[in-house]
């Protein structure tokens, strides 16, 4: 099984890193920051986005040292990725992420899992990775739930267990769009194919419908085929029309309907508006150049 990791974990899902030079060291800013934490975080992020790392790093460090979990997670991720003006240092990454985790940060739990999950990290520890992902997943973190699902499905760091894999995938798919529609489609395929678990048409169509109603074209076609097989020709026509199936297919369904039924379903098609299914990547994280690799 290949599970979609779309827009659920920046460090894991996206590798679009552009090189920029390291230009700053960890030190407190010369002027006192604004008392409002939200404003200070925004200032640090704005400086980082502008590649002004001599300003952003000290701001992040001061916030982190003052116990702000979001800043501690951000700084930990910077060190793990070797980005935004700092070289990769997983020891420091673990230090900052652990401080955030001690305050109950779910993002820190997941990020610690990512550090320990990295094969090229001196901190690589599959058992610790799974433990941190599990901790985050149990607190309803969708990214960790997907990662755990993959690990149980493939037997990576845990005994292979398709029941647990599907359990965590269903948990993740229950989250709001956009990621859930792709996971729902995966689940529909799992229950439809019946290769690794017993086939279950009822569960397959449940998940296909969830993805279809979210605007995923592949799922909409699966739903149309299901209704045609079940002789639900009104619904089949509706879904085939939405995916712009060939005219011969739509006409075959239309021939099974009365003029009133056809007029009604055509109106449904015209009135249907789906949320955009495309998922855009997060902004690229600038990879620090001039670091030992």
């Amino acid at each position: 099984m290949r599970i979609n990791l779309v827009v659920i974990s920046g460090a894991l899902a996206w590798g679009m890193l552009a090189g920029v030079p390291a230009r700053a060291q960890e030190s407190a800013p010369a002027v006192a920051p604004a008392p409002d934490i939200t404003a200070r975080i925004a200032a640090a992020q704005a400086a980082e986005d502008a590649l002004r790392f001599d300003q952003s790093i000290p701001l992040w460090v001061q916030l982190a040292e003052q116990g702000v979990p979001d800043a501690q997670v951000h700084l930990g991720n910077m060190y793990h990725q070797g980005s935004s003006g700092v070289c990769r240092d997983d020891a420091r990454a673990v230090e900052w992420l652990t401080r955030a985790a001690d305050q109950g940060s779910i993002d820190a739990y997941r990020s610690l899992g990512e550090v320990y999950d990295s094969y090229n990290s001196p901190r690589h520890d599959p058992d610790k990775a799974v433990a941190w992902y599990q901790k985050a997943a149990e607190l309803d973190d969708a990214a960790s739930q997907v990662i755990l699902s993959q690990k149980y499905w493939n037997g990576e760091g845990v005994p292979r267990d398709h029941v647990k894999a599907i359990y965590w995938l269903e948990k993740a798919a229950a989250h709001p769009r956009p990621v859930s529609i792709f996971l729902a489609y995966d689940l529909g395929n799992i229950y439809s194919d019946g290769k690794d678990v017993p086939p279950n048409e009822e569960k397959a169509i449940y998940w296909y419908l969830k993805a279809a109603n979210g605007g995923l074209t592949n799922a909409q076609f699966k739903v149309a085929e299901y209704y045609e097989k079940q002789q639900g020709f009104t619904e089949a026509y509706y879904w085939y029309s939405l995916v712009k199936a060939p005219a011969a297919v739509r006409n075959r369904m239309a021939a099974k309907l009365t003029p009133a039924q056809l007029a009604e379903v055509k109106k449904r098609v015209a009135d249907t508006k789906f949320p955009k299914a495309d998922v855009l990547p997060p902004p690229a994280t600038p990879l620090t150049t001039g670091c030992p690799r």
Side-chain angles (χ1 to χ4, degrees):
M1 175 182 65
R2 193 180 86 181
I3 300 171
N4 292 293
L5 273 177
V6 186
V7 185
I8 48 182
S9 177
L12 288 176
W14 305 103
M16 301 169 292
L17 306 177
V20 296
R23 297 188 290 169
Q25 301 295 323
E26 288 191 38
S27 60
V31 295
D36 179 69
I37 289 176
T38 301
R40 291 164 60 197
I41 289 175
Q45 189 62 63
E48 181 178 312
D49 292 343
L51 308 184
R52 297 194 302 269
F53 302 129
D54 56 325
Q55 298 175 31
S56 63
I57 294 174
L59 288 171
W60 286 123
V61 171
Q62 186 176 71
L63 285 162
E65 287 178 341
Q66 291 175 350
V68 178
D70 287 349
Q72 293 169 339
V73 171
H74 189 89
L75 202 54
N77 287 335
M78 284 168 54
Y79 275 118
H80 176 52
Q81 296 165 13
S83 64
S84 301
V86 301
C87 294
R88 181 168 180 176
D89 186 334
D90 279 350
R92 284 187 175 182
V94 168
E95 176 188 348
W96 285 116
L97 293 171
T98 300
R99 288 170 70 169
D102 288 343
Q103 298 187 68
S105 168
I106 297 174
D107 289 337
Y109 300 162
R110 184 194 333 107
S111 291
L112 281 165
E114 293 172 2
V115 173
Y116 290 119
D117 208 14
S118 299
Y119 287 99
N120 63 344
S121 171
R123 297 292 179 123
H124 179 62
D125 187 325
D127 291 338
K128 286 186 178 180
V130 169
W132 283 112
Y133 287 141
Q134 181 90 23
K135 194 175 180 68
E138 289 173 350
L139 293 171
D140 209 26
D141 180 65
S144 298
Q145 290 167 345
V146 173
I147 294 165
L148 268 186
S149 176
Q150 287 185 311
K151 289 188 175 300
Y152 278 114
W153 193 272
N154 298 318
E156 299 172 358
V158 292
R160 180 171 293 183
D161 188 327
H162 288 166
V163 173
K164 287 184 178 179
I166 291 174
Y167 170 81
W168 286 115
L169 189 57
E170 288 181 339
K171 287 280 191 183
H175 283 259
R177 281 181 39 90
V179 66
S180 62
I181 63 172
F182 297 98
L183 303 181
Y185 183 68
D186 283 335
L187 282 162
N189 287 336
I190 289 169
Y191 285 120
S192 177
D193 294 343
K195 294 178 181 177
D196 300 288
V197 297
N200 188 318
E201 189 175 56
E202 183 178 351
K203 288 186 176 181
I205 194 59
Y206 170 84
W207 289 110
Y208 281 144
L209 273 168
K210 181 177 174 67
N213 283 317
L216 196 62
T217 302
N218 288 351
Q220 292 168 350
F221 193 80
K222 293 281 190 180
V223 170
E225 290 182 320
Y226 169 81
Y227 280 118
E228 181 179 8
K229 185 176 72 172
Q230 297 295 320
Q231 298 187 0
F233 299 118
T234 299
E235 290 302 305
Y237 181 91
Y238 172 73
W239 289 106
Y240 277 135
S241 296
L242 289 174
V243 299
K244 296 180 172 57
V249 175
R250 286 175 280 150
N251 290 340
R252 189 172 70 240
M253 299 301 102
K256 305 289 186 180
L257 305 178
T258 66
Q261 288 173 326
L262 186 58
E264 182 179 353
V265 73
K266 282 185 175 182
K267 184 178 185 306
R268 279 179 62 200
V269 172
D271 292 343
T272 297
K273 305 294 181 188
F274 287 110
K276 188 176 180 181
D278 295 337
V279 178
L280 299 177
T285 304
L287 186 68
T288 305
T289 59
C291 297
R293 300 293 178 188

